[in-house]
Amino acid sequence: MNDFIFGEVESVMNLELNKKQFRRLLDLVYIGNWILNSTRGDQRFADYDQVESLLFSRAALEGMPQLAELYQGEVIPSRAFVEGGIHEAIVEYENNVFFDILAEDLARRDMDDAPIDESNYAELTSRIDAYIAEFEEHGTDNILVDIED
């Protein structure tokens, strides 16, 4: 029988992880919460912050006290955790997404924003690939905007 009754009782989940798996889970939780909340200002999804805090509060109990710290009464990822390389993974992801979106937007623009179907899909992917190759070689160095004064 299910212990969960809608609106009344929440069941508790037990999950067994070794230390390495737990450490990876901390990375995943931090990255996910960063993506969801880093641009939201005062309108953060508090329930995601709470899950992050819950997991990072376990870090000390699991022999990793350097990964969490107390800030204004809440357990948060420590400065050592945040500055320990996790943001390089986030930046790499953001860069890839940025260039992929930019390449597709420019390719669609070049095709006059025509609806994409099987008759022009190959052209779209060819244009996207060309832009991606350009970005891989030169980044945004060759992007110019004409500004009329």
Side-chain angles (χ1 to χ4, degrees), residues 6-20:
F6 291 105
E8 293 181 20
V9 177
E10 289 187 35
S11 64
V12 175
M13 179 184 289
N14 291 311
L15 181 64
E16 292 185 26
L17 302 170
N18 63 37
K19 284 189 177 193
K20 184 176 182 179

Side-chain angles (χ1 to χ4, degrees), residues 14-109:
N14 291 311
L15 181 64
E16 292 185 26
L17 302 170
N18 63 37
K19 284 189 177 193
K20 184 176 182 179
Q21 291 169 326
F22 179 70
R23 179 63 178 83
R24 297 297 178 256
L25 181 61
L26 292 177
D27 289 344
L28 291 169
V29 167
Y30 180 83
I31 290 168
N33 198 31
W34 173 266
I35 290 170
L36 287 169
N37 276 325
S38 66
T39 62
R40 299 191 58 82
D42 292 337
Q43 297 178 0
R44 294 177 65 87
F45 294 115
D47 49 342
Y48 288 93
D49 285 334
Q50 291 166 356
V51 170
E52 180 184 74
S53 182
L54 174 68
L55 287 170
F56 274 86
S57 69
R58 293 287 311 214
L61 298 173
E62 299 303 326
M64 302 175 231
Q66 70 281 9
L67 301 181
E69 60 188 46
L70 194 61
Y71 177 74
Q72 296 182 348
E74 290 189 45
V75 177
I76 62 169
S78 68
R79 179 173 291 251
F81 175 86
V82 171
E83 294 176 354
I86 195 71
H87 278 276
E88 283 82 0
I90 293 170
V91 167
E92 184 176 339
Y93 169 79
E94 289 173 339
N95 283 339
N96 287 332
V97 169
F98 168 77
F99 284 116
D100 287 348
I101 291 170
L102 182 59
E104 184 171 346
D105 284 353
L106 292 170
R108 287 178 179 271
R109 179 209 57 194

